[in-house]
Amino acid sequence: MRFVVFLDALDYNDLSPWLKEKLIAKYNPGVPKVTPNVVSQIMTGNRPEDMNFVRSTPYKKPRETDIKGDTILHYAANKGLRVFQYGIPLCANVELPKGSVSTFDHFLGQQNVPPVLQFAKDNMNMMDDDPELVFHAYVDQTSVLFSTIRSIARNKQFDIMFIGFQPIDAYTHWYHQKNRRRLIQVVEEELKDLSRYGPVFFFSDHGGTEKKETFFINKWLAEKGYLVYDINYKLNKFHMPEDVKFPDQITLQHQHVWIDWSKTKFFCNDAFDAMVDKTDNATNEDVQKVRKELMETGHFNSVKLKEEIFDKNGKKYSECPEIMPDAKEGVMVSCNLHEKAGTKEGKSMDMIRNGWHSDRGVVGCSDTTLQTTVKGPRDIYHLMKEFIDKELEVGEFDKKLEQKSIFVVREALKKFKNPAILYSTGKDSTAMLQLVKDACLDGKLPPVVHLDTGYKFKEMYDFRDKVVEKMGFKLIIAKNEEAKATPSGEKFKCCNERKTEALKKLLKKEKFDALFVGIRRDEHGIRNIERYMSPRNNKGEWEVAKEKAGGDSGLEALQDTELAGWSLYSTDFGDDCNHVRVHPLLHWTELDVWKYLKEKKAPINPLYFSREGKRYRSLGCVPCTKPIRSRAKTIEEIVRELKETQEKERSGRSQDKENASNMERLRALGYM
């Protein structure tokens, strides 16, 4: 489980201790400093023009605010991860991958979505009227959000959760630095708690700072004669809702604002940013002139033309605003045209929003292994990919396991004259084939024995023939033609006749003195007491039940030399021994097997991978083997599934032979 958390307007100057400790990089989001533009780059790793996205409202064209193409959510979903999202990507819209991303709405129901903060009254100045009331409302909202996220995380129904958190940005605009930092401390504690469930990656799109003054850009354009407009307040009664919170917030988007397009050369149609469009009336000389005059106002770090920011070959380059000023830190740009805007009497939006974005973005992670350099918004996308890929990692196979197993194999090959390999086509026996092949330095491979019960999956037979031929082994098929028992009857008897007796007959015929078997101690309780070199008597039985003292056989006592811890393996068990079972994988786990197969790029039976929502975790005969519910179609997905499941590996096998007493009886009779 991993978490990607977008903390809107988190400034590195305001980081509390834990966030500062987990900080990976500070970065400059660049120009223009508006959330959708920056977020779109973070979400896709592309420049806005490359994905047909710009934040502006171009001249006589509709606003374009949708991200086009795949995002980091698509990347995670396409990797097979179970994805959950809330509030991503905030004010940059994105079409989520269909059927592969869950949200609050359809996962919990609309009533469980964290509530939107509501002001006590219209035009409430939240900081001056009752700052503590507002602060605790935000704290309540934050607590509801993260407690819900933790509840979902505990259920382990998702692999990665994308979370968008916006209230910090509110304290950027409604400037109140003390409460802003208090809220950040609350968020820090929530993220620390969330990190108990998995690594947390967090980032911001910009920072925030105190306003020094407001620059009303459309009023300025009107004063300079570049914009000619009129406001018909009578329309206000018909086109603005009665409960509007900011009735004296008027921009060019409002229907009661009339523009004389025959005389207008420039205008800004964004409510809070200074991107300036030119009309057909403006010449290139006019563009250079207004650019120079905007810079002379002292409110901007730079005033750039679109070709200085965006690639001319961009698909929507022509729709970008012509002029893009970069406001100085602390200066808010407003397009409000109301007559009271900027006065003490006006309680307009720009009067309440008295904080501005800064170029102080942050990136951090509780997983300190991330190393990617972050210089701009697009780098965050690639860092998130690295973070997501870590959830997909299988992990490295422990070479010490392989070294010990090869030692066991070579000890057996050296001591026994006529060994063979039992092969079921399952993951363990396939890993053992690869192991024996690697251990045989002289290239003289033991033959492979397959016990054919007549009830195996077709895929197992096909896979068996393909693998044995590809790896260069000789195949021997053992089948008890005299077997009468069937899986529809007593499964214990069926297993004994079709597997154990078939093997005994083959041993008598081929005179094998050792059999390599791919069992593991963690598979079943009875296998936990096995040894690497496990003798079978002249009846083919495993003498597990004989007592050391007073028994008439020394087979069990001789096995105990392995327990000394000196890699001493008895191979000579006297005349009572018919053959020895060699278990090279005894110390491996199910996860070890999958890691080994991935590292060796070994063939894998297709039954292990999900088809129509189900796959097999353990393979046997068709009537005795049931699939499990699973979406795992790759080794990476299987490993991730195994790390979370509580089900036993052989839970899909017939329980009347899997219980401890029956398994012990079968094993004593010579079953694997």
Side-chain angles (χ1 to χ4, degrees), residues 453-510:
T453 63
Y455 290 98
K456 300 293 186 181
F457 290 88
K458 179 182 182 301
E459 290 90 340
M460 295 175 72
Y461 293 122
D462 294 342
F463 183 74
R464 175 198 67 190
D465 297 340
K466 177 182 175 182
V467 170
V468 169
E469 180 181 1
K470 181 179 180 180
M471 297 183 74
F473 288 94
K474 175 187 174 182
L475 175 63
I476 299 175
I477 299 174
K479 190 171 186 178
N480 185 7
E481 300 292 350
E482 298 175 0
K484 303 296 183 183
T486 64
S488 60
E490 186 182 348
K491 291 183 172 62
F492 178 91
K493 187 176 181 180
C494 182
C495 272
N496 189 46
E497 286 187 11
R498 295 182 179 274
K499 289 184 178 179
T500 307
E501 293 302 321
L503 180 59
K504 287 180 179 178
K505 290 182 178 183
L506 181 70
L507 287 168
K508 185 176 182 179
K509 176 184 177 182
E510 300 290 343

Side-chain angles (χ1 to χ4, degrees), residues 124-153:
M124 177 181 178
N125 185 326
M126 58 188 293
M127 292 303 106
D128 294 339
D129 291 358
D130 198 334
E132 282 301 298
L133 173 70
V134 172
F135 172 74
H136 288 291
Y138 273 126
V139 171
D140 290 345
Q141 182 178 352
T142 302
S143 298
V144 171
L145 170 62
F146 281 99
S147 65
T148 308
I149 294 295
R150 285 192 298 272
S151 176
I152 298 171

Side-chain angles (χ1 to χ4, degrees), residues 89-193:
L90 296 177
C91 47
N93 300 322
V94 58
E95 183 177 346
L96 298 174
K98 294 180 179 178
S100 56
V101 176
S102 298
T103 64
F104 261 119
D105 288 355
H106 70 259
F107 184 69
L108 297 173
Q110 186 67 36
Q111 70 275 10
N112 290 311
V113 178
V116 176
L117 181 68
Q118 297 293 325
F119 298 125
K121 57 184 179 181
D122 291 347
N123 274 353
M124 177 181 178
N125 185 326
M126 58 188 293
M127 292 303 106
D128 294 339
D129 291 358
D130 198 334
E132 282 301 298
L133 173 70
V134 172
F135 172 74
H136 288 291
Y138 273 126
V139 171
D140 290 345
Q141 182 178 352
T142 302
S143 298
V144 171
L145 170 62
F146 281 99
S147 65
T148 308
I149 294 295
R150 285 192 298 272
S151 176
I152 298 171
R154 281 193 293 271
N155 292 330
K156 296 183 178 180
Q157 292 181 262
F158 299 97
D159 302 307
I160 189 158
M161 302 179 74
F162 292 87
I163 305 157
F165 184 77
Q166 204 167 12
I168 295 172
D169 190 46
Y171 276 111
T172 297
H173 299 301
W174 288 281
Y175 185 79
H176 195 286
Q177 197 69 338
K178 177 183 176 182
N179 280 355
R180 185 172 185 272
R181 286 179 173 150
R182 287 172 68 193
L183 182 62
I184 291 172
Q185 290 173 358
V186 171
V187 173
E188 175 190 64
E189 291 302 316
E190 295 287 0
L191 293 182
K192 283 174 64 177
D193 193 43

Side-chain angles (χ1 to χ4, degrees), residues 53 64 81 91 133 163 220 238 245 252 257 269 273 279 295 298 357 391 400 405 424 438 490 515 525 540 544 558 625:
F53 174 87
E64 182 66 64
L81 292 173
C91 47
L133 173 70
I163 305 157
W220 180 87
F238 302 99
K245 291 188 173 68
L252 296 185
V257 175
N269 205 27
D273 290 306
T279 70
M295 194 65 189
H357 299 168
E391 180 67 20
K400 292 180 180 178
S405 296
S424 68
D438 291 344
E490 186 182 348
L515 288 175
V544 66
L558 285 169
T625 309

Side-chain angles (χ1 to χ4, degrees), residues 97 202 214 252 335 340 355 397 587 619:
F202 63 88
T214 301
L252 296 185
C335 300
K340 293 182 180 180
F397 174 71
H587 54 295
L619 301 182

